[in-house]
Amino acid sequence: MITALGTKMTSRKNSRIIWTLSGTFEKDRTPQRVPIRSSPFRIGRRPDHELSLSSPVISGTHAELIEVAGVLCIRDSNSTNGTFVNGKRIKADTLLSEGDWIEIGDVHLRVGSVKEDGPREALDFQKSRLLNLGNEKESHRGLIQLLEQRSLEPCFQPIHRLSDRNICGYEYLARSNVSGVTGPAAMFSAAEAAGQEVELSMMCREVGTQHSTCLPAGMPLFLNTHPAEPLLEQVVPQLRQLRGAFPMRPLVLEIHEGAITEPGLVRNVRAALHEIDVQLAFDDFGAGQARIRELICAPSDYIKFDAALIHDLQDVSKEQFRLFRSIIQGVREEGAITVAEGVETPQMIELCEQTGFDLVQGYALSRPAIMQAIPDSEPGNPTQVLKSQQLMSRQIQRAEST
């Protein structure tokens, strides 16, 4: 079985697409980029592998890449700690696209590609490598500036109540005007290469909460996490400090499969958050089997369903749709609030209504935007919602999210 996470890359006439992996392969080393010139392309600790990594949390043969007719997929080789693609642990051969992130132990690799044309292929690849190194240097400089100046924008995406379309919460999104790190993908790519992804994630939550003073009073603020963060040791203590500094702002912490693997840990995190009046949300729910186990053993306050799953609702059979609707109903009966992510069209809104979702988030109702301060008013009333929507004056055209 092959799980498709992205689009296929194809060869063009008189040219060849060479897949690449970019990342920091050893701690405190310069980021590198390697071409994938063999299939299978083995990754692990063994020195005879195409990509040999020395980290003790990586298996001898951890994973392998297979290319067939320009299509690249990854397979976990029964590794101890698993292989993750875009934060999701893979259970089967998984197709890869340019820009995907592969996590193998504590090493993060980005999938890329270059085009080779006949005898100029070595020169073309070298040019591409130098360009990539230049971009990485710019991103690294931008990251340093971003962390020093804490220059994150007050960018939020509204979450809407499906019954009346009113705004009932906001998710903070990492955005900046700093060259090389304007969006979350570039920010965290540079941070992971420098080993500062936890520092960046914590700064995003702190600055995002500070920016939330521009939001209507009483509106919940959804804050994201990074898979590398120790939740009980670092994230919960930070949320305790933020709660003390912003006692009237409802806070919701989003965690996902890359950050949570054991139901016992989920229960402990939720209990610790509830002690400080912070709610818990599962993000990208439905992306893997582990999420169902988490839902059964350790329920959360909110469950945000994966955008890809919401898109798939347009193509499922009547029987599959009824099954999914029963799942939503069961989740709601357990007391969790359901959120559909990535809702982009009126047709998708209608499907969400038929399914029984409580809340929706996506371009069909509002885009992420740089917010400005507005006067406090009663949360949720039409006047406040209209003012909030009117003040989204600087629309963010990039579709990235943290």
Side-chain angles (χ1 to χ4, degrees):
M1 179 178 68
I2 292 181
T3 303
L5 289 186
T7 57
K8 298 179 180 179
M9 294 291 297
T10 58
S11 297
R12 297 180 181 178
K13 187 176 180 180
N14 298 324
S15 67
R16 183 188 175 202
I17 298 297
I18 299 295
W19 293 97
T20 63
L21 290 177
S22 301
T24 304
F25 304 144
E26 303 289 343
K27 268 194 171 182
D28 303 321
R29 297 288 182 88
T30 303
Q32 300 179 59
R33 181 178 184 177
V34 298
I36 301 170
R37 295 187 179 276
S38 62
S39 182
F41 183 96
R42 298 163 299 173
I43 305 172
R45 284 202 327 273
R46 291 181 53 173
D48 61 337
H49 284 357
E50 284 71 24
L51 181 56
S52 180
L53 304 169
S54 61
S55 171
V57 297
I58 294 176
S59 299
T61 300
H62 197 107
E64 61 181 13
L65 300 169
I66 302 98
E67 181 182 4
V68 179
V71 177
L72 186 68
C73 69
I74 187 168
R75 173 186 301 155
D76 182 76
S77 301
N78 295 318
S79 64
T80 301
N81 294 312
T83 301
F84 296 79
V85 175
N86 298 328
K88 304 175 180 64
R89 186 166 185 166
I90 63 172
K91 303 293 184 181
D93 291 3
T94 300
L95 292 180
L96 295 170
S97 292
E98 188 167 0
D100 283 343
W101 282 97
I102 301 171
E103 182 181 343
I104 293 179
D106 53 1
V107 176
H108 295 77
L109 306 170
R110 188 181 186 189
V111 179
S113 68
V114 294
K115 185 174 70 172
E116 293 187 343
D117 294 301
R120 294 179 54 84
E121 60 183 42
L123 180 60
D124 287 344
F125 183 79
Q126 182 66 13
K127 286 181 178 179
S128 176
R129 183 175 182 275
L130 291 173
L131 179 60
N132 182 68
L133 289 174
N135 291 337
E136 289 172 347
K137 288 180 179 179
E138 181 185 15
S139 297
H140 183 66
R141 287 194 298 267
L143 175 67
I144 293 173
Q145 178 182 340
L146 184 67
L147 291 173
E148 288 180 348
Q149 300 179 2
R150 302 168 64 83
S151 49
L152 290 167
E153 299 261 29
C155 183
F156 300 88
Q157 183 169 28
I159 299 171
H160 296 257
R161 189 163 48 241
L162 190 54
S163 60
D164 57 14
R165 309 296 196 266
N166 279 355
I167 296 174
C168 59
Y170 291 86
E171 179 180 354
Y172 179 69
L173 305 180
R175 302 289 191 273
S176 83
N177 286 323
V178 179
S179 178
V181 288
T182 55
M187 286 182 200
F188 281 94
S189 174
E192 287 165 1
Q196 294 178 291
E197 61 270 30
V198 172
E199 180 182 352
L200 175 61
S201 185
M202 294 188 70
M203 186 188 78
C204 287
R205 285 192 297 275
E206 182 177 350
V207 174
T209 308
Q210 293 169 351
H211 282 324
S212 73
T213 56
C214 73
L215 300 178
M219 283 283 183
L221 173 65
F222 288 71
L223 300 167
N224 288 282
T225 56
H226 186 277
E229 292 184 278
L231 294 172
L232 286 173
E233 295 81 2
Q234 283 189 271
V235 176
V236 171
Q238 184 197 34
L239 265 293
R240 186 176 291 111
Q241 293 177 349
L242 293 176
R243 166 53 66 230
F246 300 89
M248 303 306 294
R249 173 64 60 190
L251 298 175
V252 183
L253 183 71
E254 297 191 21
I255 59 176
H256 50 81
E257 193 169 36
I260 284 287
T261 56
E262 291 299 328
L265 179 57
V266 181
R267 289 193 294 269
N268 291 338
V269 169
R270 190 186 187 201
L273 291 175
H274 279 198
E275 287 180 1
I276 56 175
D277 194 26
V278 175
Q279 292 185 297
L280 178 66
F282 283 159
D283 193 19
D284 295 331
F285 188 86
Q289 293 178 349
R291 308 316 299 271
I292 301 299
R293 182 167 176 254
E294 293 163 7
L295 175 61
I296 295 171
C297 300
S300 64
D301 302 293
Y302 291 83
I303 298 181
K304 301 183 76 175
F305 282 79
D306 185 60
L309 189 152
I310 303 303
H311 280 256
D312 289 344
L313 285 178
Q314 301 173 100
D315 303 314
V316 300
S317 67
K318 291 182 179 179
E319 291 77 12
Q320 291 172 319
F321 189 83
R322 282 196 294 268
L323 174 61
F324 184 72
R325 186 168 55 191
S326 69
I327 293 174
I328 295 297
Q329 181 180 352
V331 169
R332 297 180 67 194
E333 289 175 353
E334 291 298 319
I337 298 172
T338 56
V339 186
E341 296 186 293
V343 179
E344 298 179 347
T345 66
Q347 292 75 20
M348 293 179 69
I349 292 178
E350 185 177 350
L351 281 173
C352 289
E353 288 177 323
Q354 295 171 5
T355 307
F357 276 101
D358 298 300
L359 313 178
V360 294
Q361 182 177 5
Y363 284 13
L365 292 176
S366 54
R367 289 175 173 264
I370 304 300
M371 299 292 288
Q372 302 172 7
I374 64 176
D376 288 343
S377 58
E378 183 183 353
N381 70 41
T383 302
Q384 173 190 292
V385 173
L386 179 61
K387 287 181 179 179
S388 179
Q389 291 171 332
Q390 287 174 337
L391 284 166
M392 292 180 185
S393 57
R394 293 169 58 195
Q395 291 291 339
I396 304 298
Q397 298 303 320
R398 300 180 298 275
E400 302 168 300
S401 66
T402 54

